[in-house]
Amino acid sequence: MKARVHVTLKTGVLDPQGKAVAHALDSLGFEGVNDVRQGKYLELDLAENDPDKAHAAVDDMCRKLLANMVIENYAIELDT
Amino acid sequence: MKARVHVTLKTGVLDPQGKAVAHALDSLGFEGVNDVRQGKYLELDLAENDPDKAHAAVDDMCRKLLANMVIENYAIELDT
């Protein structure tokens, strides 16, 4: 079973990487880019085939490793 | 208008970052993780409100800055 995880910075947390991308786009002549926020995207290939167990396992992985719960949110999607 | 962009490594391109995450998960006792691939996720806030024009602009941004077309794929989603 495949799981897709998005890790994004919480609202209000400064995102210098996103700001740098926005600046670079502006320098390249792209106008009308108000804001850019950059996050992480992970695709996990799991041996587990039960959706509930897979979701619980990935949730645990996010809390323990993939996301910094102080400044980041995460979202989990499972491929059915 | 908001645009969401996923930048992922093409199939066959080595992903040491994903491998490191898979190793770390294994070290933490998570079993049954066959593979991890890591990509980038960007949220862009655009002044443009026309979906076609916004998509064309973001496509251009991906080709010129956000993705390395030699080793990466990108996917664009627009919030309606």
Side-chain angles (χ1 to χ4, degrees):
Chain A
M1 168 163 262
K2 296 251 183 188
R4 279 167 286 127
V5 177
H6 288 89
V7 180
T8 49
L9 285 169
K10 289 186 178 173
T11 316
V13 177
L14 285 178
D15 181 3
Q17 197 176 13
K19 282 274 175 293
V21 172
H23 256 279
L25 287 172
D26 191 59
S27 304
L28 287 171
F30 291 104
E31 288 169 10
V33 179
N34 299 328
D35 193 30
V36 179
R37 305 276 291 173
Q38 182 156 355
K40 282 178 285 185
Y41 172 64
L42 295 120
E43 289 174 345
L44 290 92
D45 183 11
L46 306 168
E48 182 63 62
N49 278 317
D50 181 83
D52 290 342
K53 284 185 190 169
H55 193 285
V58 176
D59 194 82
D60 207 20
M61 292 175 200
C62 287
R63 292 180 175 277
K64 286 190 178 151
L65 181 75
L66 305 179
N68 176 348
M69 297 303 297
V70 180
I71 55 167
E72 291 172 328
N73 290 324
Y74 64 88
I76 300 166
E77 292 165 74
L78 294 173
D79 275 0
T80 46
Chain B
M1 167 162 265
K2 295 251 184 190
R4 280 168 286 126
V5 176
H6 288 89
V7 179
T8 50
L9 284 169
K10 289 185 177 173
T11 316
V13 177
L14 285 178
D15 181 3
Q17 197 176 12
K19 281 275 175 294
V21 171
H23 256 278
L25 287 172
D26 191 59
S27 304
L28 286 171
F30 291 105
E31 287 168 10
V33 180
N34 299 329
D35 192 31
V36 179
R37 305 275 292 173
Q38 182 157 354
K40 283 177 286 184
Y41 172 64
L42 295 119
E43 289 175 345
L44 290 92
D45 183 11
L46 305 169
E48 182 64 61
N49 278 318
D50 180 84
D52 290 342
K53 284 185 189 168
H55 193 283
V58 175
D59 195 83
D60 206 20
M61 291 175 200
C62 287
R63 292 180 176 275
K64 287 189 179 151
L65 180 75
L66 305 179
N68 176 350
M69 297 302 298
V70 179
I71 55 168
E72 291 172 327
N73 290 323
Y74 63 88
I76 300 166
E77 291 165 73
L78 294 172
D79 275 2
T80 45

